[in-house]
Amino acid sequence: MVLGLRRTGKSSIVKVIMNENRENALWLYLDLRKFETREYLTYKDIVIELEKAFNSLPKWVKDFIKGLRGISVSGVEVRFNWSGEEKIELSQLFDRLSELGERNGKKVIIVFDESQELRKLKGYNILNPIAYSFDNLKFLRFIFTGSQIGMVYRFLKLKDPESPLFGRAMTEVVINPFDREKSIEFLRRGFEENNISVKDEILEEVYENVGGIPGWLTYYGFNFITERDHKKALKKTIEMGVSSIKEEFDNFLIGREGGKERYYEIMKVCKKGCRWRDVKTAIEVAEGRKVDDKRVTELIENLVDASFLKKTDDIYEPTDPLIAQVF
Ligand SMILES: Nc1ncnc2c1ncn2[C@@H]1O[C@H](COP(=O)(O)OP(=O)(O)O)[C@@H](O)[C@H]1O
Ligand SMILES: [Mg+2]
């Protein structure tokens, strides 16, 4: 598991690891971000993503899976069937991939980037073939990344005795934003590479406004280099940040439309830190009626699991200073 807020560098890290291990592993990289705006996914969506990833592998790999049910190979293109009698069975595909790895002395690694999207899969439980692989297939490995950290746990259900992956051990890699010192050092080194020297106060101001997320720091650096003006660069970075976060919040609300007003209310109340009680009071004042305690807790938990809020002791606050600016 590679977990961290959006733009902390998860995909970048995984891609570096992929590049450095081209020789000793076969990689299937599935970018699930494209499903953020979808309310649900189907088996077909996953099969198509796997097919796409599979087609980026060398020809000898494609030849090896010929003959497996649900797979047709024409020339260099592989087609996976997702329905009917002849549909592909993921546990069989995984079996064959592991065998391929074993014969060639390579690990086969499937990356589900932004894996919390798989929670939306309807009519098919992908945890079954994953658990099967986990228990039986030595040469197959999975990497799950996620920006909505709590939602990745909700998807994998490692602590649910009823779930296929119950009790399985995973290695967690948590990518945290840079702290103040590292952020400033990161910007300074970036500017040095471009032969630009910038005063510490300016770098401090960047950190105060955008926080330590590498994606925003990099974007600020890029803006500075193109604009050659700190204020303009900062303004542009904040604008971009605010509009991206708005979009991500809208995606979060897909399928949760009924709670929209309440979620906005909570984010407003918590933008500088709040307690559970403040949230309950604010919602009740806004609606002029009592609200169930359980419902309040559930709404807050959804925001925490989607990584918009974090809890430290009794205080809930935005995970990133730019989030506060949106509300
Ligand atoms: N270690 C790093 N050094 C420089 N830039 C980085 C680093 N990690 C991430 N970035 C920049 O931050 C942006 C966001 O990174 P990304 O890997 O897409 O994050 P995530 O997958 O966690 O959302 C990238 O476009 C990249 O330019
Ligand atoms: Mg990513």
Side-chain angles (χ1 to χ4, degrees):
M1 300 165 81
V2 180
L3 306 173
L5 296 176
R6 171 124 309 158
R7 288 168 286 265
T8 44
K10 300 175 296 300
S11 301
S12 305
I13 287 172
V14 170
K15 284 174 183 166
V16 168
I17 294 170
M18 285 169 64
N19 274 329
E20 288 178 351
N21 293 279
R22 283 274 162 228
E23 297 297 311
N24 49 27
L26 286 165
W27 295 87
L28 287 149
Y29 175 87
L30 279 71
D31 179 5
L32 303 170
R33 253 187 89 171
K34 60 169 81 63
F35 297 122
E36 278 172 347
T37 54
R38 293 265 291 271
E39 192 170 347
Y40 66 92
L41 329 180
T42 62
Y43 189 56
K44 174 182 170 183
D45 293 313
I46 298 308
V47 168
I48 289 177
E49 287 310 308
L50 274 167
E51 180 192 273
K52 224 183 280 170
F54 204 83
N55 274 311
S56 71
L57 293 174
K59 180 157 185 320
W60 61 269
V61 175
K62 296 176 190 170
D63 289 338
F64 188 79
I65 64 154
K66 258 186 203 162
L68 197 67
R69 196 181 72 192
I71 290 182
S72 47
V73 182
S74 64
V76 287
E77 276 291 290
V78 177
R79 288 268 163 258
F80 290 180
N81 291 349
W82 61 79
S83 74
E85 288 284 292
E86 282 297 295
K87 78 165 175 245
I88 191 165
E89 197 63 65
L90 294 195
S91 50
Q92 284 180 11
L93 174 69
F94 292 169
D95 240 339
R96 186 60 73 95
L97 287 172
S98 180
E99 197 186 325
L100 171 87
E102 185 162 13
R103 288 204 192 173
N104 293 280
K106 293 178 199 282
K107 290 266 155 42
V108 178
I109 306 170
I110 303 182
V111 182
F112 292 106
D113 199 3
E114 297 295 356
S115 63
Q116 72 276 340
E117 297 309 315
L118 293 172
R119 279 181 65 236
K120 305 177 185 168
L121 196 51
K122 291 272 189 309
Y124 181 76
N125 191 352
I126 196 169
L127 296 179
N128 286 324
I130 292 169
Y132 167 78
S133 307
F134 196 106
D135 296 341
N136 301 293
L137 306 177
K138 286 209 177 70
F139 283 80
L140 194 62
R141 291 284 185 279
F142 296 95
I143 296 178
F144 300 96
T145 86
S147 299
Q148 301 191 349
I149 299 165
M151 295 298 176
V152 177
Y153 288 108
R154 284 200 206 177
F155 159 59
L156 292 170
K157 299 201 187 94
L158 302 172
K159 289 186 179 148
D160 173 0
E162 307 282 297
S163 160
L165 282 178
F166 174 65
R168 303 305 193 285
M170 305 252 174
T171 308
E172 275 175 45
V173 178
V174 179
I175 320 270
N176 285 313
F178 297 154
D179 60 18
R180 172 184 296 269
E181 229 171 87
K182 253 224 179 75
S183 301
I184 290 170
E185 175 69 13
F186 179 73
L187 288 170
R188 190 183 298 115
R189 300 239 306 252
F191 284 131
E192 263 168 29
E193 283 178 17
N194 288 275
N195 300 314
I196 297 170
S197 89
V198 179
K199 282 199 217 105
D200 269 6
E201 304 132 59
I202 284 187
L203 303 182
E204 295 270 347
E205 198 184 336
V206 177
Y207 179 79
E208 288 303 322
N209 280 277
V210 310
I213 291 182
W216 296 137
L217 297 173
T218 312
Y219 189 63
Y220 167 82
F222 167 77
N223 285 331
F224 188 100
I225 288 163
T226 45
E227 304 276 345
R228 297 279 160 171
D229 181 284
H230 161 64
K231 291 273 177 234
K232 270 194 206 158
L234 186 58
K235 185 163 172 275
K236 229 174 147 176
T237 309
I238 293 171
E239 279 169 6
M240 170 74 167
V242 164
S243 81
S244 307
I245 292 162
K246 270 192 187 141
E247 203 177 308
E248 284 149 21
F249 199 69
D250 284 345
N251 291 338
F252 163 80
L253 291 172
I254 294 170
R256 296 188 174 94
E257 286 80 2
K260 184 174 171 183
E261 310 292 324
R262 286 175 170 180
Y263 283 119
Y264 268 99
E265 190 62 39
I266 299 173
M267 291 306 295
K268 269 187 219 152
V269 175
C270 298
K271 69 178 179 186
K272 292 199 176 110
C274 68
R275 288 168 198 275
W276 183 91
R277 173 65 45 198
D278 305 325
V279 172
K280 177 153 159 99
T281 308
I283 297 176
E284 290 185 342
V285 167
E287 298 182 8
R289 60 188 164 105
K290 278 214 162 304
V291 179
D292 196 29
D293 284 1
K294 273 227 286 276
R295 183 67 185 140
V296 173
T297 302
E298 188 185 306
L299 292 165
I300 297 176
E301 272 175 8
N302 285 341
L303 288 165
V304 171
D305 283 352
S307 298
F308 288 105
L309 292 179
K310 65 177 177 202
K311 190 182 184 190
T312 325
D313 301 320
D314 283 341
I315 307 290
Y316 296 96
E317 61 188 337
T319 47
D320 157 2
L322 282 172
I323 294 178
Q325 301 217 30
V326 173
F327 300 92

